[in-house]
Amino acid sequence: MAEMFDLIKAEKIATRDAYGKTLVQLGGENKDIVVLDADLSKSTKTADFAKVFPKRFINIGIAEQNLMGVSAGLAAAGKIPFASTFAIFATGRAFEQIRNSIAYPKLNVKIAATHAGISVGEDGASHQAVEDVALMRSVPNMTVLVPADAEETSQVIKAAAAYQGPVYIRLGRLALPVLFDSSSYQFEIGKANVLKDGKDAVIIANGLMVAEALKAVSELSGQGCDVAVVNCASVKPLDKQTIIQIAQQTGAVVTAEEHSIIGGLGSAVAEVLSENCPVPLCRVGVNDVFGESGRPDELLVKYHLTAKDIVEAVRRVIAKK
């Protein structure tokens, strides 16, 4: 824990930056990797790949349905396409193409969606995807991954490239604290990581909320509360075994995500608990409302996505034990 908080203070890198750099690395290792973008390459960071491998980069233009359709065709021809755009456009505007052209035939397309969540900030509700995980979770054959920092993002991109089948990768706009060290952290699709053990409750989080969960645990510890933290980057498939085990151990669960409380990580955990290990549960997330324009830090406070909100949620679930 102490090491993680030192890292939080030391460095911040956006997950989309890690995405761009990892693509360049993978592009040099595998000639079948191709990258497509919907005219947002400077923002999604696929411009890094375009500079090094211009013949394997396609700017489709502002036509997300075509982005998914062309990616499906390239995958059918044996390529490994990374289809890149903002999360709201990838999952909303092109949902039918993802469902019918990519997921139904289980084609090997990686959908990398940046600028997810309300932390997009001033762009407002029209650009703030808080339903994307719910949409992608509901699609059969789709794997859904939400990394928490730059190191995990790099490992997620490499795991997705090695995996045979469609993958949705949720990335953000903001620079986030670097939580994990490449020498000791290992991401695996379908596995959750217990970052801290505990006996009074557990916080299961992903994305930028993992750092908030660690801050919350530090405050709770000072109050004599021993709370576990689980990083759940793999939303689908979900690590049911770890979730059930730590829920039985602690008897109280809080989920934390920068997404609607409907259909995302909290819903996925609730489904597992209700069928296998019913315990008090509180979901920290966007409470079934649209966002609005504002500074990211202000929006995270307004929509109750901070360490303070997690602390209060932990107190509520412990009181219900």
Side-chain angles (χ1 to χ4, degrees):
M1 282 292 293
E3 182 182 354
M4 289 178 182
F5 282 111
D6 289 343
L7 288 171
I8 288 172
K9 295 173 183 176
E11 187 179 15
K12 289 186 176 181
I13 303 173
T15 53
R16 58 182 174 135
D17 285 322
Y19 171 54
K21 292 179 180 177
T22 306
L23 278 182
V24 173
Q25 180 184 347
L26 287 174
E29 299 170 355
N30 189 337
K31 62 180 177 56
D32 287 330
I33 288 179
V34 294
V35 176
L36 301 89
D37 205 291
D39 209 27
L40 290 167
S41 62
K42 289 184 179 178
S43 296
T44 62
K45 304 301 180 181
T46 61
D48 297 347
F49 185 93
K51 290 177 183 175
V52 182
F53 307 105
K55 293 184 178 179
R56 287 194 269 149
F57 175 81
I58 304 172
N59 182 2
I60 295 291
I62 306 172
E64 287 78 9
Q65 295 96 333
N66 288 343
L67 173 72
M68 300 305 170
V70 173
S71 296
L74 288 167
K79 301 298 181 184
I80 306 174
F82 278 79
S84 315
T85 186
F86 288 5
I88 189 70
F89 306 128
T91 58
R93 189 173 294 170
F95 179 81
E96 189 270 332
Q97 285 73 23
I98 292 174
R99 180 188 184 277
N100 287 344
S101 299
I102 295 175
Y104 180 47
K106 204 176 181 180
L107 289 174
N108 198 26
V109 176
K110 319 304 170 186
I111 302 166
T114 67
H115 295 66
I118 66 166
S119 60
V120 173
E122 288 85 349
D123 288 346
S126 64
H127 286 54
Q128 295 167 347
V130 294
E131 318 87 354
D132 55 315
V133 173
L135 287 168
M136 294 297 99
R137 264 191 76 219
S138 68
V139 178
N141 295 332
M142 183 64 73
T143 292
V144 180
L145 308 175
V146 185
D149 78 346
E151 173 57 33
E152 187 169 53
T153 296
S154 180
Q155 294 193 26
V156 160
I157 299 303
K158 294 173 183 175
Y163 175 81
Q164 182 67 36
V167 180
Y168 178 71
I169 307 158
R170 188 185 207 235
L171 305 171
R173 180 184 192 178
L174 293 181
L176 300 181
V178 176
L179 303 172
F180 307 119
D181 187 277
S182 59
S183 63
S184 58
Y185 184 76
Q186 180 64 53
F187 169 80
E188 183 179 344
I189 293 175
K191 291 292 184 183
N193 294 95
V194 179
L195 304 183
K196 178 190 174 300
D197 213 343
K199 59 181 177 59
D200 295 325
V202 58
I203 304 165
I204 302 174
N206 65 17
L208 65 78
M209 295 303 287
V210 175
E212 295 302 312
L214 292 170
K215 295 176 189 173
V217 164
S218 180
E219 181 175 336
L220 288 161
S221 178
Q223 301 169 9
C225 195
D226 185 15
V227 178
V229 179
V230 174
N231 173 32
C232 196
S234 183
V235 179
K236 184 185 176 186
L238 193 66
D239 187 349
K240 297 179 182 179
Q241 183 177 358
T242 295
I243 290 172
I244 293 169
Q245 180 180 351
I246 203 154
Q248 290 173 333
Q249 172 185 317
T250 61
V253 177
V254 171
T255 60
E257 59 190 318
E258 191 200 6
H259 183 274
S260 171
I261 61 170
I262 299 172
L265 174 64
S267 293
V269 171
E271 291 163 10
V272 171
L273 296 180
S274 63
E275 292 180 347
N276 299 280
C277 176
V279 297
L281 168 69
C282 183
R283 293 170 294 161
V284 174
V286 178
N287 196 4
D288 197 22
V289 294
F290 287 108
E292 61 184 273
S293 179
R295 282 174 27 197
D297 57 336
E298 294 174 336
L299 294 175
L300 292 173
V301 171
K302 176 163 185 174
Y303 292 95
H304 305 292
L305 300 171
T306 68
K308 175 177 176 289
D309 300 297
I310 295 173
V311 167
E312 292 174 357
V314 169
R315 289 173 177 155
R316 289 199 296 274
V317 290
I318 289 177
K320 293 179 181 177
K321 290 174 69 174

